[in-house]
Amino acid sequence: MSTSSAMSARPEQKRFKGITLPPSGWTLAILLVLYIFTGLIGHDPWKNDDAVTIGVVHDLVRNGHWLSLSLAGAPYPDAPLHYWVAGATSYLFAWLLPLHEAARLASGVFTLLALTFIYLAARELHGREQAPAAPLLLAGSIGFLFHAHEAQPMLATLTAHTAAYWGLAQINGRALRGACCFGAALGLGFLANGLAAMLPLLPVAAFAAWRAENRRRAIVMLLGALLMAALLAGAWLGALQRDAPDFLAAFWQDELAVFAGGNQPLLNLTRLSGLLPWYAWPALPLAGWTLWAKRRQLRTLPLALPIFAFLVTLLAIITYLGARSTTALLLLPPLVLLAVPGVSSLRRGAANAFDWFNMITFSFFAILAWIGWSALVFGWPERLGQQALRLEPGFVGQFNLLGVSFAVLGTLIWCWLIVTSPRSPMRGIMHWMAGLTLFWLLIATLWMPWIDYGKTYRPVSAALAKALPEKHGCIAGLNLADSLLASLDYFDGIRTLALTSPAGKKCDLLLTTHGAPGAGSWQKVWEGGRPGDRRDNEKLQLYRRQAKTTANRQAGGDQQ
């Protein structure tokens, strides 16, 4: 009787069984794809890198400047790989998405590749069982979340770094394939972000060759990899030398300026020490635990390689790359590879505490996201709704059935996951990654209209276009950020000339954010900004040159 009862109970247990851990196959793929592509569409270009990148792609697609890039009609000397891929996705999805959303899909492509390569590198270094922790840790890093969902060229560089680590991890077992992978990564990485960001990989490759079982073969293979990289980079450089030598000269000038000095290593190190604890969470503390728990194995290649790579990349960032949020992305792959063994070796008490912290934290954040959405759409809680309107005056929340449906589905899956996930050393980082994905999904589906309302320059650009005279000449620009120039060009085709240029000095209109030079020479005719812009230097001002000044300037030109 007891045997039959046990047999009948087994199907019920399987019916309510959660996902298997470590996650693999479709489970891992679906989670990562949901994480990657949520939030890439559904909003306008935003300030900083997102707007600049989309502005370059817009110019590339509209004018066919695939070889030498430009922004709002002016040369933009930068490495082209991310813009090429973004231009390709813009063409492929032009029937479905506006250009800025289709271009942003390139970031999803590079993010997916980076997560794939970090998984492959972890599998080579730490084995198949521990490898799924690597993409979960990389995608779960808080700093990575922000940049993975914007049009960000550094994502292409990050992908090249992860591919390079995969290649170097194969230096003993599959030297030829590893060298080919490393060479392709190095060459494409140069096309992604130039020379400076790829230089840290050269000493890492030398270290891997020195530690290889067959040192002579490894050195020969890596020399071949350098030749492959040179051929890939040289194809673009050679084409520039033939068709756009001025652009090539400007590109090399910017590349060499990175090494010219001016960086403050101690200041950069201080900034990174304040940035990394939250930026690289939870990879950073797990990497620290690996150093302690595996302290007798630190000389082995699976641990020595990421340790050396982290130190070299850190040195590059503080000496010449600069301690910025984008450059800090390059520290994540070696940290993740070092943190992977720490997941399985974490003590049960610490693992359970980390797991409970994740479940409680993201459940709390999910509740806050839903309450905030209620305030935005229904005005309840009333005080929170008033605060939201104070931050973004004029916003009117609307109920979006599709977005709410996705948000409800994601919340239900989260509840199912935390109830049914089996005990496993990987349960904590799985819940962290899933919780972060849920929070980002709720922000993208429920809060995105409010965020986009405050960040987009579309209404500002439209108001400026309406304020311009019907038949106006050139517009001079003063103290305008690249992101603003890109937005004005993308939305309404408004372009400016630098006020200090010979052509800009002849313009009768001036666009600026810091007031016109020479108070008596210009008259303000328009001012505008985003709803949340309160400071004067955040608002755009349009000036017209005074008639007397114009007459004097024309008279002076006639006398000359």
Side-chain angles (χ1 to χ4, degrees), residues 51-195:
V52 172
T53 303
I54 290 171
V56 174
V57 175
H58 172 241
D59 204 299
L60 180 151
V61 171
R62 185 175 66 177
N63 300 317
H65 296 160
W66 290 80
L67 184 61
S68 54
L69 307 175
S70 57
L71 174 66
Y76 191 77
D78 197 6
L81 181 61
H82 187 278
Y83 306 103
W84 287 348
V85 177
T89 57
S90 299
Y91 272 122
L92 289 175
F93 295 96
W95 60 276
L96 180 64
L97 298 171
L99 183 142
H100 61 274
E101 295 184 350
R104 218 179 271 124
L105 293 179
S107 295
V109 172
F110 284 115
T111 301
L112 184 60
L113 289 174
L115 295 173
T116 301
F117 288 134
I118 202 69
Y119 169 82
L120 294 173
R123 191 176 67 179
E124 292 292 333
L125 293 174
H126 305 299
R128 189 177 296 272
E129 287 296 317
Q130 299 188 62
L136 293 177
L137 286 169
L138 180 57
S141 299
I142 298 175
F144 183 71
L145 173 72
F146 296 108
H147 294 303
H149 297 93
E150 64 177 355
Q152 177 55 256
M154 187 59 78
L155 290 173
T157 312
L158 176 72
T159 302
H161 274 239
T162 55
Y165 292 134
W166 178 43
L168 295 177
Q170 303 175 74
I171 201 68
N172 286 325
R174 303 178 182 90
L176 179 59
R177 190 176 77 174
C180 290
C181 179
F182 178 76
L186 200 62
L188 294 175
F190 176 86
L191 294 179
N193 209 279
L195 180 63

Side-chain angles (χ1 to χ4, degrees), residues 187-318:
L188 294 175
F190 176 86
L191 294 179
N193 209 279
L195 180 63
M198 303 309 293
L199 278 182
L201 290 176
L202 298 182
V204 177
F207 177 81
W210 176 64
R211 292 296 306 274
E213 296 173 357
N214 190 331
R215 189 175 297 174
R216 179 175 296 180
R217 182 185 66 173
I219 292 174
V220 171
M221 290 295 178
L222 289 178
L223 288 176
L226 293 178
L227 178 60
M228 177 189 294
L231 291 175
L232 287 172
W236 176 62
L237 297 175
L240 282 179
Q241 180 62 43
R242 182 191 62 192
D243 297 332
D246 292 340
F247 183 92
L248 178 61
F251 172 77
W252 278 121
Q253 183 178 358
D254 286 353
E255 285 290 294
L256 296 176
V258 175
F259 305 100
N263 280 311
Q264 299 175 301
L266 291 179
L267 179 60
N268 286 331
L269 186 60
T270 302
R271 288 175 178 172
L272 280 179
S273 64
L275 176 71
L276 285 181
W278 67 265
Y279 188 95
W281 180 275
L284 183 62
L286 286 170
W289 170 249
T290 300
L291 292 176
W292 172 255
K294 307 287 184 180
R295 56 190 179 276
R296 297 181 180 177
Q297 305 173 28
L298 297 183
R299 293 186 178 182
T300 61
L301 186 65
L303 297 181
L305 182 65
I307 291 173
F308 185 78
F310 176 80
L311 293 176
V312 170
T313 307
L314 177 65
L315 182 63
I317 288 176
I318 65 175

